[in-house]
Structure formats: C-alpha cells, structure tokens
C-alpha cells in the first residue's frame, strides 16, 4: 500500500474494566483533524479507519493489533467533507463534500480522482456491492441520488428524491434514504432506479440518520434517529409491522433527578455491530449507548464526553468501536465555542457489551 508513514506517534487500545467507558480508558487517535469530524468508516478488510472532517480533509489511520494508531495518508476536498466510505475489497476510499464533488482515493497507488459531481453538497456516499460490478451511490442536497460506475465519467442513473438527502445506508440489496421533511424511501437495489416503498418517518421531527440492519432477506429493516432524541426501529415488510417500535434516548432532566427528560438532544449516528446485530446511538449530549433491539434493552452507557459525539463506527469484526468527540453544529455557529475537544477515540469492545440478551417473552 502506498500509504505514507507517520512514525513515532502511536497509542494503544485497552479493554475497559467497568460497565461504563471513561475517557482515560478509551484511547485517543493520534493527529486528529483540525476541525469538526463528520464521519468515520472502517475498511471491511483490515483495521484502517477513514475520517472525514470540516477541515476539507480525509485522513486514513492504521489501527495496530494492540490498538496503536498511526496516520497513513490524507487527501483534500475544496470544501468540508461530509461523508466517507470504503469499497468492498478495501482498495478504494470514497468521500463526498460541500464542494459538490465525490472523490476516490486509491489505496494502492495513493492517487486521488474526482468520480462524482452534484449541483449541491454531497451529504452521503455509499458502496453498492452489486453482482458483477460495484457501484458508488451519492446522495445530495440537490434532491438526487446518483449511481456511478467508476469506469465511466457520467452517472449510470439518477434518482429524483422528494427532498434533500440527509442520510442513507446500504445493506445490499436494501438501501434506505432519509430526506428533509421526514420522507423515507426504501429501495431494492436489484431495481435501483425506483423506490420500492416511500413512507413518512415514524418520528415527528427531522431525520438525522438512517442505518440498515438485515437479520435475513425476509425481515430486513432499519433504524431512524431524529433531532428530538428518539430512535425508531422499522421493518420493511408489512408482515413485520408488529415489531416496529420507537424509544427515547439522548435526553436529560432539566433539574437533576427531576425525571422530566426536558433537555432533548439530536441522535447523530447509529452503528450496527457486524456480528451480533446490536447497535450504538450517539448524540449531541455527548453520550453513547449500546442497545439490543430484539430484547428492547440498553446494554451499555458510556460516561458523557465534554462535547457532542458526532460520528461512530465498528470495525469489521466488531471488537473496536470508534467515536468522534467533536462539535456537531447542532446549535449553529454560536455553539462552536473555543476549547471544545475535537478527537477520535477507540473503545475495545467486550463481548458482554455487544452480545444480544435473551429476548423478552
């Protein structure tokens, strides 16, 4: 790999010894971005972590066997980077940004090329691991999703959305798109140009994130997180509608022990564990929770960080959990006060934190 080396700066992941992770036990990634962190994505082939930032950069880090981290490469957009992802074989990194461009970094050559273009910022990028050939999907505030075959300059298809794209996630053949005005469109990517189903979000406030889970093709579904401290679990097919539910999270009492949960925070990211199917939520309140959707129970709560948690990601086998402690712009420019931390932390997952509980009878 033509990653440049940044020797001499490393750190190690250690397992936590209590039920809630404290900042001094989770390990900080070296040389973080210089501005807010927008997205985190692990390779599916090795423990390489791609990080997108509002400083216009994508950084790639190697996480060693003992958890030590090392900066390996960096490339630039001409505006804030809003999302990053990898292709299936771990040889390419894709990113979308406020410069309306989608870019590709080739891990083997170190070369960066523009591979996508929209009329407004690209909010989401995702790799479609389709048979025969992989496709890059990009979702934009220009109210379109475009599919790109990397062998050609123009998109192979463009899908008009009802509103600006805020989030999407892909578990082939399922793709779920969340837009402004609470529209959610569900696609079967064997027929990628037409929505299989369009629904209104089950949550009453703006969609912040959608994340797919697939227990089997017969009962696939997704989680939706909103700005109002609430998450919904939704199944795609009507036969599973009785399993849909929503719950409150990322809320605080206005007065300690008042139990009014009056302070409400955005759910910024939802990450599903690649082995157990449990999931994490993180929020503007600086907290992270692990959940079991089937037992409908909380598995773990992290100690609150001194800033919002902007993004999260599990590595390929689910033993490392990365999270970004970073301003999330939930309170606009005025909330970006000097001294807010901007860092990426690595948590070593213990089995009891992420394994499913016995389902309720």
């Amino acid at each position: 790999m033509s990653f440049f080396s940044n020797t001499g700066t490393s750190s190690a992941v250690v397992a936590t010894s209590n039920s809630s992770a404290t900042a001094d036990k989770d390990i900080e990634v070296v040389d973080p971005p210089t501005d807010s962190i927008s997205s985190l994505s692990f390779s599916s082939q090795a423990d390489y972590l791609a990080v997108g930032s509002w400083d216009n950069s994508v950084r790639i880090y190697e996480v060693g066997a003992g958890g030590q981290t090392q900066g390996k490469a960096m490339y630039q957009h001409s505006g804030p980077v809003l999302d990053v992802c990898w292709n299936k074989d771990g040889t390419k990194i894709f990113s979308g940004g406020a410069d309306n461009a989608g870019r590709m970094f080739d891990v083997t050559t170190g070369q960066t090329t523009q591979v996508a273009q929209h009329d407004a910022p690209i909010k989401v990028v995702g790799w479609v691991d389709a048979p025969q050939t992989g496709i890059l999907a990009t979702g934009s505030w220009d109210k379109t999703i475009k599919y790109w075959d990397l062998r050609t300059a123009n998109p192979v298809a463009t899908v008009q959305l009802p509103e600006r794209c805020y989030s999407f996630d892909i578990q082939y053949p399922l793709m779920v798109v969340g837009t402004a005005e609470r529209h959610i469109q569900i696609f079967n990517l064997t027929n990628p140009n037409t929505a299989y189903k369009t629904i209104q979000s089950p949550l009453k406030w703006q969609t912040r994130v959608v994340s797919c889970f697939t227990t089997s093709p017969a009962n696939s579904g997704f989680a939706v997180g909103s700005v109002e401290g609430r998450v919904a679990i939704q199944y795609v097919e009507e036969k599973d509608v009785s399993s849909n539910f929503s719950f409150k999270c990322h809320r605080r009492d206005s007065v300690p022990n008042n139990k009014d949960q009056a302070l409400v925070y955005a759910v910024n990211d939802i990450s599903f564990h690649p082995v157990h199917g449990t999931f994490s939520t993180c929020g503007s309140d600086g907290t992270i929770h692990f959940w079991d959707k089937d037992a409908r129970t909380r598995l773990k709560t992290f100690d609150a960080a001194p800033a919002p948690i902007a993004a999260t990601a599990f590595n390929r086998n689910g033993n490392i959990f990365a999270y970004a402690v970073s301003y999330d712009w939930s309170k606009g420019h005025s909330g970006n006060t000097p001294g807010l931390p901007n860092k990426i932390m690595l948590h070593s997952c213990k089995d009891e934190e992420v394994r499913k509980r016995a389902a309720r009878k």
Side-chain angles (χ1 to χ4, degrees), residues 173-193:
L174 174 66
M175 180 173 75
V176 179
V177 183
T179 76
E181 304 300 333
R182 298 173 46 244
H183 300 288
I184 291 177
Q185 291 202 310
I186 301 163
F187 290 80
N188 182 334
L189 289 173
T190 59
N191 180 24
N193 299 343

Side-chain angles (χ1 to χ4, degrees), residues 9-331:
T9 51
S10 64
S11 52
V13 173
V14 295
T16 58
S17 59
N18 59 4
S19 60
S20 68
T22 53
D24 59 349
K25 290 177 180 173
D26 289 349
I27 302 303
E28 190 170 343
V29 171
V30 299
D31 300 326
T34 57
D35 203 342
S36 294
I37 296 158
S38 61
S39 55
L40 305 172
S41 179
F42 275 103
S43 166
S44 66
Q45 300 300 312
D47 288 333
Y48 287 100
L49 176 65
V51 179
S53 169
W54 284 70
D55 68 3
N56 301 2
S57 76
V58 176
R59 287 168 166 82
I60 301 99
Y61 302 88
E62 181 180 12
V63 183
Q68 71 279 6
T69 58
Q70 188 176 87
K72 301 299 286 186
M74 181 171 71
Y75 68 93
Q76 299 291 326
H77 279 248
S78 56
V81 178
L82 302 180
D83 198 25
V84 294
C85 74
W86 295 74
N87 71 343
K88 181 69 182 292
D89 66 13
T91 61
K92 309 280 194 306
I93 297 165
F94 302 97
S95 51
D99 56 0
N100 304 356
R103 303 188 190 276
M104 177 180 75
F105 178 81
D106 189 316
V107 168
T108 50
T109 67
Q111 297 298 307
T112 307
T113 51
Q114 182 173 342
V115 293
Q117 180 72 39
H118 279 263
D119 296 329
I122 296 176
K123 181 63 173 66
V124 205
V125 293
W127 185 250
V128 182
D129 187 33
Q132 283 82 51
T133 180
I135 295 290
L136 176 67
T138 54
S140 171
W141 292 341
D142 67 9
K143 304 182 185 179
T144 68
I145 282 180
K146 294 183 179 183
Y147 301 111
W148 306 85
D149 182 330
L150 302 179
R151 298 168 296 188
T152 59
N154 294 317
V156 292
T158 299
V159 177
Q160 294 295 323
L161 300 174
E163 253 292 352
R164 290 153 290 163
C165 180
Y166 283 169
S167 177
F168 72 53
D169 193 32
I170 298 166
Q171 289 274 352
Y172 188 84
L174 174 66
M175 180 173 75
V176 179
V177 183
T179 76
E181 304 300 333
R182 298 173 46 244
H183 300 288
I184 291 177
Q185 291 202 310
I186 301 163
F187 290 80
N188 182 334
L189 289 173
T190 59
N191 180 24
N193 299 343
T194 306
Y196 173 70
K197 186 180 289 189
T198 300
I199 65 170
Q200 201 79 356
S201 169
L203 306 180
K204 294 179 181 178
W205 299 91
Q206 177 180 302
T207 301
R208 189 85 171 94
V209 60
V210 295
S211 186
C212 296
F213 61 86
T214 306
T215 51
S216 74
N219 58 351
S220 58
F222 55 95
V224 186
S226 77
V227 298
E228 185 236 357
R230 195 183 289 266
V231 168
I233 300 295
Q234 289 283 120
Y235 287 83
V236 171
E237 302 298 345
E238 291 298 324
K239 67 181 178 58
D240 300 313
V241 70
S242 62
S243 298
N244 294 345
F245 68 98
S246 65
F247 61 94
K248 297 177 183 177
C249 51
H250 301 286
R251 299 180 177 213
R252 291 181 186 167
D253 297 335
S254 57
V255 178
N257 302 315
N258 196 32
K259 298 196 185 319
D260 61 2
Q261 299 282 282
L263 302 179
V264 178
Y265 299 86
V267 178
N268 285 331
D269 209 353
I270 298 172
S271 298
F272 277 89
H273 192 277
V275 177
H276 296 298
T278 52
F279 65 97
S280 65
T281 63
C282 68
S284 297
D285 58 346
T287 67
I288 299 166
H289 305 285
F290 288 173
W291 307 88
D292 179 344
K293 66 176 175 56
D294 299 324
R296 300 192 182 186
T297 190
R298 180 161 46 195
L299 301 173
K300 176 185 176 65
T301 296
F302 286 61
D303 288 348
I309 309 297
T312 57
F314 286 102
N315 71 334
R316 68 193 192 286
N317 55 19
N319 63 0
I320 300 172
F321 177 73
Y323 59 96
V325 183
S326 177
Y327 186 52
D328 60 357
W329 300 94
S330 58
K331 295 183 179 179

